[in-house]
Amino acid sequence: MSTATTMVRPQETAATPAIEVRNLRRTFRIKGGLLGKDREVVAVDDVSFSVPTGGVLGVVGESGCGKSTLARVILNLLPPTSGEVLVEGRRLSALDRRARARLIQPIFQDPFSSLNPRRRIKDIVAMPLVAQGNIPARQVNDRVAEMLTRVGLSAEQGERFPAQLSGGQRQRVAIARALVLRPRIVICDEPTSALDVSVQAQILNLLAELRRELNLTYLFISHNLAVVEHVASEVAVMYLGRIVERAEADALFRAPRHPYTRALLASVLTPEPGLGVPDVGLGDTLPDPANIPPGCRFHPRCPVAEPRCAVQVPQAVATTDGAAECLLLEGAAQP
Ligand code: SF4
């Protein structure tokens, strides 16, 4: 693979992950707790992972589990309370906004609300290039034209406004805008949830094609397990702000180790696009990030909980293809 001409960037080695998240934590203070006291909500709780170049880490969990907050903290749209994010060995917090934009870009769920309705498509796609401030207009036009072609839009569609395109076409615009700077990492936050089922597969195929062509690395956040199974090489399962299981996608779908992962996989996914809450078959006790249970945070809903689960905090146990946080796995022989 490697040749004498292969470039190694500063701070980057063959083993450097495309993205590395270290002990990321994000808390919020909310008013109106008991006796009017402020309460702390832990939305992202000591999350660490890395993704190799070209990999796709799927992040799954119920609504409110912290996956979208995680995306926003990684993108620096919300500053972390603690922890750090590195892209190809570079600390994102040490870079300015333009440099960050060249490394990492988001694609969000609702393309309609994220596209300025008063701008033409070609100008929307050009915005990240223009914001860099040093790219000649001719080069901007060429790169916009190239990106529109790559995502399957015509030059004529580039002259239109968002309201004149379909939902799927608008998501193609959002993808073109995210990729026009040739970032290394793309954070896809429910990128197909707002689309008709018939269009979802086209967008997923386009994202897969672009990843291969442009050697991109994705963090793919979704409540839809079928989508994640289709796109991810590795999966992280979030529950109340923590990654409770992480494994190679094949292994996770074939043999989930954590009781919550098992419940998710056994769940009936909602047919309502955008509703985002799978019926996990665990009753109505929705997780409350302002009131994280002691011991194992999943114990009030866990179908196989033992008395010790209410007091003992499970540690991550290495499994064949990843890790899981469950007391039942501690000390047990791993297959
Ligand atoms: Fe269930 Fe106990 Fe394992 Fe938590 S530690 S997932 S409550 S069995």
Side-chain angles (χ1 to χ4, degrees):
M1 167 205 122
S2 168
T3 69
T5 55
T6 302
M7 284 252 314
V8 176
R9 297 177 197 222
Q11 304 171 51
E12 185 185 349
T13 68
T16 305
I19 181 166
E20 186 177 1
V21 166
R22 291 184 186 159
N23 307 106
L24 210 58
R25 187 175 160 87
R26 172 69 203 201
T27 61
F28 299 96
R29 295 212 75 79
I30 55 166
K31 298 230 175 265
L34 198 62
L35 306 173
K37 280 188 181 161
D38 285 2
R39 289 192 301 163
E40 188 180 60
V41 174
V42 184
V44 175
D45 190 1
D46 197 17
V47 165
S48 299
F49 61 79
S50 62
V51 190
T53 300
V56 181
L57 177 68
V59 180
V60 299
E62 291 163 280
S63 187
C65 72
K67 55 191 192 302
S68 285
T69 304
L70 175 65
R72 279 161 175 74
V73 174
I74 291 173
L75 287 160
N76 217 44
L77 300 175
L78 287 171
T81 305
S82 57
E84 59 187 7
V85 180
L86 292 89
V87 172
E88 295 182 340
R90 280 163 285 189
R91 251 184 212 95
L92 280 189
S93 58
L95 303 175
D96 66 20
R97 192 169 46 83
R98 288 180 200 152
R100 275 202 306 272
R102 291 194 296 271
L103 289 176
I104 188 163
Q105 284 283 334
I107 298 170
F108 290 118
Q109 174 177 349
D110 183 359
F112 200 54
S113 65
S114 71
L115 304 181
N116 186 333
R118 288 182 294 277
R119 283 182 177 265
R120 292 184 191 278
I121 299 305
K122 64 178 187 183
D123 297 328
I124 290 172
V125 175
M127 270 174 60
L129 293 166
V130 174
Q132 289 290 314
N134 55 358
I135 304 176
R138 190 192 173 107
Q139 210 176 319
V140 169
N141 293 339
D142 289 350
R143 283 169 71 174
V144 168
E146 186 218 326
M147 254 349 280
L148 288 176
T149 307
R150 274 190 189 274
V151 301
L153 294 171
S154 65
E156 187 270 321
Q157 285 167 322
E159 299 294 332
R160 296 190 198 170
F161 294 92
Q164 296 172 297
L165 299 185
S166 68
Q169 288 167 337
R170 284 196 291 262
Q171 195 57 304
R172 287 173 191 268
V173 175
I175 293 169
R177 180 181 57 182
L179 301 188
V180 76
L181 279 176
R182 296 283 169 82
R184 309 299 305 132
I185 313 289
V186 184
I187 310 286
C188 307
D189 188 0
E190 303 273 9
T192 59
S193 300
L195 303 175
D196 289 346
V197 175
S198 59
V199 182
Q200 287 186 8
Q202 294 169 18
I203 296 297
L204 291 175
N205 289 338
L206 174 65
L207 286 169
E209 203 177 290
L210 291 166
R211 183 182 61 76
R212 282 191 299 272
E213 285 173 9
L214 304 175
N215 199 24
L216 300 166
T217 302
Y218 290 163
L219 196 67
F220 198 101
I221 292 167
S222 179
H223 72 281
N224 189 327
L225 294 168
V227 167
V228 169
E229 187 174 16
H230 183 70
V231 301
S233 47
E234 202 180 353
V235 179
V237 179
M238 275 190 89
Y239 188 78
L240 278 179
R242 278 191 75 79
I243 292 178
V244 294
E245 182 165 8
R246 180 182 55 75
E248 297 292 323
D250 286 353
L252 187 119
F253 283 97
R254 192 182 61 247
R257 309 302 306 279
H258 195 283
Y260 179 61
T261 311
R262 282 194 225 121
L264 269 186
L265 293 189
S267 70
V268 179
L269 293 171
T270 171
E272 282 283 329
L275 197 57
V277 187
D279 171 6
V280 291
L282 294 169
D284 295 333
T285 328
L286 286 175
D288 176 6
N291 190 17
I292 292 178
C296 172
R297 60 191 61 208
F298 184 52
H299 85 262
R301 302 172 80 198
C302 181
V304 291
E306 298 179 351
R308 61 180 174 145
C309 300
V311 287
Q312 248 177 283
V313 177
Q315 305 300 310
V317 175
T319 57
T320 324
D321 297 283
E325 293 183 347
C326 172
L327 293 172
L328 301 190
L329 299 174
E330 290 180 18
Q334 302 305 318

